Amino acid sequence: MMTILKELLKVDEIDFYGCQEWKQGMLLEATTRLSTSDEVMGTFPECLVSELAGKPYSFIRYPESMPQYELLLIMAANENTKGLFGFQFTGGSLSRLSDTFFNKLSYECNVFIEKARSFADTMEEEKRYKQLFRVTKKFHSTMDMDAVLGEIISTLREVYPSFTYYLLLSHDHKGYGGLPVKDLEYDSDNLTAMQSYVSGQIQFEDSVTEKNSIMYAPLKGKQGVYGVLQVIAPNSLVFPQNEVEFIKLLANTAGSALENAKLYEQSRKLIADLQLINETSHQLNTSLRLTDTMKFICGQIIKSFNAQEVGFIMIDEDQDDYSVLQGSTSFFYSKNASSYILRMAKRIKQEMEPLFIGDISSDSEDSSLYFHSIMGVPMIQSGELKGFALVMHEEPYHFAFDTFKLLQSLIHHSTLAFTNSMLREELEKMVVTDHLTKLYSRGYLDDKMNLSMLEDQQGTFILIDIDNFKNVNDQYGYQVGDEVLIQLSRQIAKNIRGTDIGARWGGEELAIYLPGAPLETGVMIANRLVDKVEKQTNPRVTVSCGVSTWIRGQEDTTKTVFKRADQALYVAKGSGKNKVVVQDEEQSCFSDNV
């Protein structure tokens, strides 16, 4: 059209400015120039826009506000300026053409441009809705939230390449690498976005200083709003109304797809949760040892909840103490764990309710705490608090509330099995444990020592006797005598490893067997025991020890090892007491005095 006008009017150049209401001005849309200079780029002068507003001009000869043009041909509709042509020429004159001609030319150009714009808008609308149809098909062919959100941004970038987009999503959405995602926070300064999220309605925000207009479209499904789509139109003081409907439809379609994907994820999670509880219940009903049971539960929680540390703490109300069950992660056996355990134990004993702490540092002055997200669930059986489970992670707000509810269900199902396992093992221990001293029985020691002599390379045996024990009974009574035995038993338990065996040999005689330990280790422990007993018993007593050892390759039995230790003890008792004597395999004794 402009080429025809240029030839018809014999002018040098023609520029066409289109009126874009949403940018509140006219922008250069087309030109016959090979290159555009600064004088014809950008927005048309505001003074001329104001001059044309509401006036029935069809053309202006030699406009003062735009001296680079000899003629302005104005396009108008409903008394509103829609655009104009600027004619520039250096030779000849347009004065030979009448006003009637320019009025007619303006009318014909206006009709042509309106039809061209209408056709272009129809084509563009058709293209957009084809894209919307394509996107909708994609939305309903996937249950992946990443794919849905990615398709939203991809479509907007294709349709509106000059716009900027953000997906404002709540905290429970994670991941989405590479997508322009922002957290939608309730304490955010962006009140317009929050208003759109809460109301489920489209909101607009215009900024004169930033020279842009922003549309907030809620990603809405039938059951709720899942986020907000933020679309920023640059160099615009009013958001273009002809684009609102398309973005609204896209957001609504995406909201429904997000809802379907979220419901699918929730159903999969529910199935996984049920499988976890079912598998755990099945495992708990087997005859696993308590340690194996705890290791299994601990592994399930770490895998399902993405936890870093899992501990099972038993509470001893009588001793006002606690113990960590075997199977808990190694952290709970360290010194650093005590601050967490004592803090949680106090709250759980007071409230008798599960604890869900998103960030423990927010309600604690102790900033040195490494783990921030904590879940604590009490283990209650027959109305009595047996202990509690602790699940922790270093990141604040790491666990979702659904995870907390699942943990409660898991611990509730497991508590009875834990208690039964502990009772069973306690009964088993009672069978092989001396009632008074809580040390193992002699029969248990015999069995373990026989097994050790088959499997280990060496071992050491210590026989212990309380010096002048009859005098203690005669002077203080048998109850005090029993208390002395208990004190000695506690010293033994404190000074041996978990793999060592402390036992009641008979009467006031006690014994220790150290599987795999050399003679030197046995002598060291015996000497330490003699020293501790003398200093820490009340009433004060002393002990004598006989030590013997065996080494693989020598002809030895438990009886010969016992006999050598008994002979060494006899020498210790007869040579002053309160000492350690060693009997070697050649039947010779030597003293190892404290």
Side-chain angles (χ1 to χ4, degrees):
M1 176 186 178
M2 293 171 68
T3 302
I4 293 172
L5 286 176
K6 185 177 179 181
E7 292 177 356
L8 175 67
L9 301 177
K10 309 299 182 184
V11 296
D12 297 329
E13 302 293 349
I14 305 176
D15 301 315
F16 175 71
Y17 291 84
C19 182
Q20 298 184 6
E21 294 178 2
W22 56 285
K23 292 192 176 182
Q24 293 191 343
M26 292 190 190
L27 293 182
L28 181 68
E29 287 192 26
T31 181
T32 58
R33 304 172 191 271
L34 295 178
S35 63
T36 53
S37 60
D38 292 338
E39 65 180 359
V40 296
M41 291 295 289
T43 307
F44 207 81
E46 293 184 9
C47 58
L48 185 59
V49 175
S50 302
E51 180 185 341
L52 295 173
K55 295 183 180 180
Y57 290 123
S58 60
F59 68 95
I60 300 176
R61 296 178 187 265
Y62 308 108
E64 294 181 1
S65 55
M66 294 292 285
Q68 69 267 36
Y69 298 117
E70 279 69 32
L71 175 72
L72 296 179
L73 201 62
I74 299 163
M75 306 292 103
N78 300 322
E79 296 188 353
N80 291 320
T81 302
K82 297 295 183 181
L84 53 83
F85 288 97
F87 295 87
Q88 189 179 54
F89 60 95
T90 54
S93 174
L94 292 177
S95 58
R96 69 183 187 279
L97 300 174
S98 66
D99 290 353
T100 303
F101 173 81
F102 285 125
N103 283 331
K104 182 65 175 174
L105 182 62
S106 173
Y107 172 78
E108 295 296 340
C109 288
N110 196 53
V111 170
F112 177 84
I113 287 176
E114 284 300 311
K115 287 184 178 180
R117 284 197 185 282
S118 176
F119 179 74
D121 290 344
T122 302
M123 293 292 290
E124 186 65 25
E125 196 78 358
E126 182 183 3
K127 179 183 175 183
R128 290 179 186 177
Y129 282 96
K130 280 182 179 179
Q131 287 172 320
L132 185 62
F133 179 73
R134 176 183 57 80
V135 169
T136 303
K137 284 177 65 178
K138 277 195 174 183
F139 283 166
H140 291 289
S141 64
T142 181
M143 290 297 175
D144 185 351
M145 294 186 71
D146 284 20
V148 171
L149 294 172
E151 196 62 38
I152 297 172
I153 298 300
S154 175
T155 302
L156 287 171
R157 283 173 177 164
E158 186 178 342
V159 177
Y160 308 111
S162 64
F163 287 8
T164 306
Y165 323 96
Y166 292 101
L167 291 162
L168 309 180
L169 305 174
S170 54
H171 272 301
D172 57 341
H173 297 280
K174 295 184 179 292
Y176 314 127
L179 292 180
V181 175
K182 292 182 179 179
D183 285 336
L184 185 64
E185 299 175 347
Y186 287 97
D187 57 352
S188 171
D189 295 333
N190 196 338
L191 298 178
T192 311
M194 189 52 62
Q195 186 177 357
S196 176
Y197 181 74
V198 173
S199 66
Q201 301 296 321
I202 288 176
Q203 302 292 329
F204 296 96
E205 186 177 50
D206 302 321
S207 174
V208 176
T209 56
E210 298 292 335
K211 294 183 180 180
N212 61 29
S213 182
I214 306 173
M215 173 180 176
Y216 295 95
L219 302 171
K220 185 168 58 175
K222 292 182 179 179
Q223 297 185 8
V225 179
Y226 300 94
V228 174
L229 173 62
Q230 181 186 36
V231 183
I232 304 172
N235 302 316
S236 169
L237 298 181
V238 179
F239 201 89
Q241 288 300 309
N242 56 326
E243 316 297 348
V244 170
E245 188 61 28
F246 178 80
I247 296 173
K248 178 181 177 181
L249 285 172
L250 180 64
N252 286 342
T253 306
S256 298
L258 279 176
E259 184 171 75
N260 291 338
K262 195 170 184 66
L263 290 172
Y264 177 69
E265 283 187 1
Q266 288 175 350
S267 65
R268 289 187 62 187
K269 187 177 185 307
L270 285 173
I271 292 171
D273 292 349
L274 289 172
Q275 287 175 338
L276 173 64
I277 292 176
N278 182 56
E279 185 179 349
T280 303
S281 299
H282 175 74
Q283 198 78 9
L284 291 173
N285 289 329
T286 62
S287 57
L288 285 176
R289 307 297 297 176
L290 179 62
T291 301
D292 295 331
T293 301
M294 303 313 297
K295 283 182 178 177
F296 173 78
I297 297 293
C298 182
Q300 292 287 81
I301 292 174
I302 290 174
K303 181 177 70 174
S304 300
F305 300 166
N306 191 24
Q308 288 179 324
E309 302 293 346
V310 179
F312 297 93
I313 320 301
M314 303 311 295
I315 297 175
D316 188 342
E317 295 287 356
D318 296 332
Q319 299 286 336
D320 193 25
D321 199 3
Y322 68 85
S323 59
V324 179
L325 287 181
Q326 292 289 330
S328 303
T329 53
S330 59
F331 170 78
F332 286 95
Y333 300 99
S334 66
K335 290 182 180 179
N336 294 333
S338 60
S339 60
Y340 295 93
I341 294 173
L342 293 173
R343 191 189 301 255
M344 295 301 108
K346 182 179 178 181
R347 288 184 59 176
I348 286 176
K349 284 196 285 187
Q350 286 177 346
E351 302 170 15
M352 294 292 284
E353 292 290 338
L355 299 176
F356 182 67
I357 303 173
D359 186 1
I360 193 172
S361 63
S362 63
D363 56 18
S364 170
E365 296 179 356
D366 189 357
S367 59
S368 64
L369 293 173
Y370 179 75
F371 297 101
H372 291 254
S373 297
I374 300 178
M375 297 187 290
V377 179
M379 300 163 65
I380 299 174
Q381 182 63 33
S382 302
E384 183 181 348
L385 180 65
K386 300 292 185 181
F388 58 95
L390 275 186
V391 180
M392 306 193 298
H393 197 280
E394 65 184 86
E395 293 181 0
Y397 308 103
H398 175 76
F399 302 114
F401 193 72
D402 287 345
T403 300
F404 177 53
K405 292 190 289 184
L406 177 59
L407 180 65
Q408 292 181 60
S409 178
L410 197 62
I411 298 303
H412 175 74
H413 280 80
S414 306
T415 299
L416 180 60
F418 293 159
T419 307
N420 289 341
S421 293
M422 293 175 68
L423 287 173
R424 183 174 68 247
E425 294 191 10
E426 192 174 330
L427 286 171
E428 290 174 356
K429 189 174 181 180
M430 286 176 64
V431 172
V432 296
T433 303
D434 176 66
H435 176 70
L436 177 65
T437 63
K438 306 304 180 187
L439 297 176
Y440 286 110
S441 66
R442 178 171 177 174
Y444 181 82
L445 183 142
D446 287 347
D447 291 341
K448 290 296 181 181
M449 193 165 170
N450 282 321
L451 183 62
S452 173
M453 294 185 79
L454 292 173
E455 297 178 349
D456 297 327
Q457 297 298 315
Q458 60 184 346
T460 299
F461 178 72
I462 307 170
L463 194 57
I464 308 155
D465 184 72
I466 301 175
D467 300 327
N468 305 314
F469 187 63
K470 184 176 182 302
N471 294 340
V472 175
N473 285 333
D474 292 343
Q475 184 177 352
Y476 299 103
Y478 287 100
Q479 282 189 331
V480 175
D482 288 346
E483 180 59 33
V484 169
L485 273 171
I486 292 171
Q487 291 178 42
L488 175 57
S489 302
R490 287 176 181 167
Q491 288 296 332
I492 290 174
K494 287 180 181 179
N495 286 279
I496 61 176
R497 303 169 300 178
T499 55
D500 299 333
I501 301 161
R504 188 171 185 182
W505 191 253
E508 70 272 20
E509 287 188 334
L510 305 176
I512 299 172
Y513 178 64
L514 311 169
L519 179 63
E520 294 79 10
T521 302
V523 171
M524 180 188 68
I525 291 175
N527 277 320
R528 188 165 62 206
L529 194 60
V530 168
D531 180 58
K532 296 280 187 184
V533 169
E534 184 178 14
K535 293 178 180 178
Q536 298 184 14
T537 51
N538 183 26
R540 179 180 169 276
V541 296
T542 61
V543 295
S544 298
C545 299
V547 184
S548 64
T549 189
W550 67 271
I551 299 174
R552 182 173 294 281
Q554 299 173 348
E555 293 184 3
D556 240 330
T557 64
T558 54
K559 289 184 179 180
T560 59
V561 175
F562 294 158
K563 184 177 180 181
R564 291 201 297 273
D566 188 54
Q567 290 173 345
L569 178 61
Y570 179 80
V571 172
K573 300 285 282 186
S575 59
K577 303 177 182 178
N578 192 27
K579 63 172 62 175
V580 175
V581 174
V582 178
Q583 175 77 47
D584 62 21
E585 61 275 5
E586 278 80 29
Q587 306 297 316
S588 58
C589 295
F590 58 89
S591 175
D592 195 290
N593 292 324
V594 180

